[in-house]
Amino acid sequence: AAVAMFTGKANCPYYAKAELLADYLQTNLPNFRVYKITQHPDKWEQWLHGICETNGWEHSQSPIIWRELLDRGGKGQLLGGLNDFLEYAQKYYGITSMMLSEEMLDIAEENLQEHLEIVKEDEEIKSLIKPMQIWITSASAPICYHLIPLLANGEVFGMTTEISIHLLDTDQFKEILRSIVMEAEDMAFPLLRSISEHTKIDQAFIDADIIIVLDDVLLNLEVQSLENYIREVSEICQVYAPLIEKNARSEVKVISSGKTFANLKATMLRTYGPSIRPENIIAIATSWESAAKAMLARKLNMNTAGVKDVIVWGNITGSNCIDLSHAKLYGYDCAIRGPANFQRLLLNMIYDSEWIHSEFLSAQSTLSSRVSRCTGMLPAHAVATVLRYWYHGSPSEEIVSVGILSEGQFCVPEGIIFSMPVRFQNGNWEVMTELEINETTQKVLGRLSHELVQEKLVALKEINEMHPYEAE
């Protein structure tokens, strides 16, 4: 038994003529079998060189045709190109091709279009079965330990999406990473295709679909100045950003989390990684939202899940503003009852306005302390929640606070990562610019904006002073 192997460029008219004759022979001869491999024109030369090198052949044109002797083993027998095949068909079977040049060109064009459609279908199928690549930096941090089960249980990306998790940290944390990997493997999550540790920075972010940046600094202003900490954060981003541009996928989503400088990390990754899509770099503010909602729920003696639309403005892990002017209550036990979607304005339900101004709005340090002391469960849940919204959409009428690159919304200066209200839908987010803010809040936003602009300027100044030639 023998099989004739045909390979050629999808847009090659000679390949079109050869395969049509081959189809005719296969239809009319009982023992003649054909196997065709169509190559994209851009990949033809490389493929041809490889097959010839493997088999010790010399051939330079499209198509290339050979016989595979299935019952004898060994390498195939090279027949040659179109003319060689025409001669072969005439000599052995007394059959020749009468196809005209114009027909050859038309079929070649059809072959190319069909090949492109098949390639597209193959890519779509592969995208369904190829795992999503998730990289986590500073992965020895406690938040990572809590985050892995949330990512791997299917609730974030869906029950049909497999994931591969890559944990990145320095050599000194290698044993911690290894223990996390072993424990995650022991849990046998059906959707976790693989989990691995990485300590070589040059291999970071290869094929990354999602990058979660957890790097933090141990902030102690009695030990060194704020400027030095800002420089430290900026240097980390200066290493990460070019690697993300080089190794990650073009649509990579980058999430900045952690207890310190969440906005600055996102801003500097954008600064040093200009080819990263700006809308794909965000900072997580959900931990602050959750802590504020919990504080309000305790005051109202209700379930925290019923408090919605608390907005976090500004510098998430620095000076921010908790805005209650749009906050709503669902399922609040009061004189007026309604269905599950019945809502009340929070400010109308808290009659102790003195508490709002004296305790809650001045409780920045209390909230900051609460968020900073979190061992990882709350910030991990915050990251997972925002990722779920990003991929599957947030509840249609709910507000989500996210640090995004400002384009001048709410009069916030452009070019800084600023936390503001957004909604997620169709794999993207949009700023809820339709929300009205009062004059007092607008003044606060101006102050917060100024602080973030100064923070960015300090970061750029520190780096430029250290690397003046690179800055130029």
Side-chain angles (χ1 to χ4, degrees):
V3 176
M5 307 291 293
F6 286 75
T7 302
K9 289 190 290 185
N11 63 345
C12 173
Y14 303 109
Y15 175 56
K17 185 168 184 173
E19 70 164 342
L20 198 69
L21 177 57
D23 289 343
Y24 178 83
L25 292 174
Q26 179 170 249
T27 303
N28 290 280
L29 298 173
N31 295 318
F32 190 90
R33 294 289 176 266
V34 177
Y35 185 76
K36 291 177 280 188
I37 306 172
T38 306
Q39 295 290 340
H40 191 283
D42 294 343
K43 297 180 179 179
W44 166 251
E45 293 294 340
Q46 183 180 355
W47 189 91
L48 179 63
H49 175 75
I51 194 74
C52 287
E53 190 174 48
T54 301
N55 291 282
W57 296 335
E58 288 188 13
H59 192 83
S60 58
Q61 301 296 323
S62 170
I64 179 173
I65 304 163
W66 70 94
R67 295 173 70 217
E68 292 281 359
L69 305 176
L70 301 182
D71 55 348
R72 300 183 194 174
K75 66 179 184 179
Q77 177 189 353
L78 178 65
L79 297 179
L82 172 64
N83 290 335
D84 300 300
F85 181 58
L86 291 175
E87 185 179 334
Y88 172 85
Q90 177 67 39
K91 181 177 178 181
Y92 285 92
Y93 305 111
I95 298 172
T96 189
S97 173
M98 304 301 292
M99 185 191 291
L100 301 176
S101 297
E102 190 173 332
E103 291 177 298
M104 290 164 57
L105 292 170
D106 289 343
I107 293 175
E109 179 61 29
E110 289 176 13
N111 279 347
L112 177 60
Q113 294 307 316
E114 182 182 3
H115 177 72
L116 293 175
E117 288 177 11
I118 290 171
V119 169
K120 184 179 178 182
E121 288 176 7
D122 286 345
E123 287 177 351
E124 288 175 352
I125 291 170
K126 286 177 182 176
S127 71
L128 296 175
I129 61 174
K130 186 172 184 179
M132 182 177 290
Q133 304 293 321
I134 303 171
W135 283 76
I136 304 175
T137 73
S138 196
S140 63
I143 174 178
C144 180
Y145 187 80
H146 294 276
L147 182 58
I148 289 170
L150 298 177
L151 297 177
N153 66 13
E155 293 181 10
V156 173
F157 304 109
M159 299 306 295
T160 59
T161 303
E162 291 189 338
I163 64 172
S164 287
I165 297 177
H166 304 266
L167 308 179
L168 178 67
D169 215 319
T170 57
D171 262 327
Q172 70 182 103
F173 297 110
K174 190 166 187 174
E175 289 305 314
I176 294 176
L177 297 186
R178 188 162 294 164
S179 65
I180 294 173
V181 167
M182 291 179 67
E183 192 167 351
E185 289 174 341
D186 290 346
M187 293 179 76
F189 294 104
L191 296 174
L192 183 59
R193 177 83 67 86
S194 65
I195 181 168
S196 54
E197 75 265 16
H198 303 265
T199 55
K200 290 182 170 53
I201 190 65
D202 58 325
Q203 298 297 312
F205 314 128
I206 291 176
D207 291 334
D209 294 294
I210 296 169
I211 298 170
I212 301 168
V213 180
L214 302 181
D215 296 71
D216 266 321
V217 294
L218 298 173
L219 201 60
N220 186 345
L221 297 179
E222 294 179 3
V223 174
Q224 60 176 323
S225 67
L226 183 64
E227 288 76 12
N228 285 340
Y229 288 115
I230 289 175
R231 182 181 66 202
E232 192 177 328
V233 170
S234 206
E235 286 175 341
I236 292 169
C237 296
Q238 202 174 24
V239 172
Y240 285 167
L243 287 169
I244 294 172
E245 290 183 304
K246 177 185 174 186
N247 294 337
R249 296 189 182 279
S250 59
E251 298 295 309
V252 63
K253 291 177 168 61
V254 183
I255 293 176
S256 172
S257 184
K259 298 178 181 179
T260 57
F261 297 109
N263 291 56
L264 181 63
K265 283 184 291 188
T267 298
M268 300 318 291
L269 287 171
R270 169 61 189 153
T271 302
Y272 296 124
S275 70
I276 305 170
R277 290 184 62 184
E279 63 269 30
N280 280 3
I281 304 177
I282 67 171
I284 299 292
T286 319
S287 295
W288 281 85
E289 274 187 14
S290 299
K293 289 174 182 177
M295 191 172 177
L296 292 162
R298 280 188 284 273
K299 176 68 176 176
L300 292 161
N301 194 28
M302 65 175 291
N303 189 335
T304 303
V307 184
K308 308 287 186 184
D309 300 345
V310 172
I311 302 174
V312 179
W313 297 95
N315 191 355
I316 297 163
T317 51
S319 296
N320 58 46
C321 167
I322 308 296
D323 182 1
L324 304 181
S325 58
H326 299 275
K328 302 176 186 69
L329 304 177
Y330 291 80
Y332 180 53
D333 188 9
C334 62
I336 301 175
R337 299 293 184 90
N341 62 350
F342 179 66
Q343 63 186 35
R344 308 297 303 273
L345 282 174
L346 180 143
L347 291 179
N348 291 345
M349 295 294 100
I350 295 185
Y351 300 105
D352 187 357
S353 58
E354 184 62 30
W355 180 84
I356 289 288
H357 293 94
S358 65
E359 290 190 42
F360 182 81
L361 294 181
S362 63
Q364 170 96 12
S365 58
T366 304
L367 281 173
S368 178
S369 175
R370 178 180 295 277
V371 173
S372 297
R373 286 201 311 269
C374 291
T375 57
M377 197 185 305
L378 176 59
H381 180 264
V383 171
T385 299
V386 171
L387 272 173
R388 186 176 76 249
Y389 288 165
W390 210 343
Y391 279 86
H392 300 291
S394 55
S396 58
E397 299 302 319
E398 278 189 34
I399 296 171
V400 184
S401 301
V402 174
I404 54 101
L405 188 68
S406 170
E407 294 180 348
Q409 302 95 331
F410 303 108
C411 300
V412 173
E414 296 181 18
I416 56 172
I417 298 289
F418 195 91
S419 182
M420 57 181 74
V422 307
R423 67 167 66 87
F424 289 88
Q425 56 185 9
N426 302 320
N428 300 300
W429 51 260
E430 62 176 359
V431 179
M432 301 176 73
T433 50
E434 72 275 13
L435 293 180
E436 294 183 6
I437 58 174
N438 57 39
E439 189 177 339
T440 303
T441 303
Q442 190 65 67
K443 287 180 180 178
V444 172
L445 298 193
R447 177 175 56 79
L448 298 177
S449 301
H450 177 74
E451 180 180 291
L452 281 167
V453 169
Q454 292 304 309
E455 193 174 81
K456 180 181 178 180
L457 290 174
V458 169
L460 292 173
K461 175 176 177 288
E462 293 287 340
I463 290 296
N464 289 347
E465 286 178 355
M466 289 187 65
H467 309 287
Y469 298 108
E470 291 181 20
E472 289 172 8

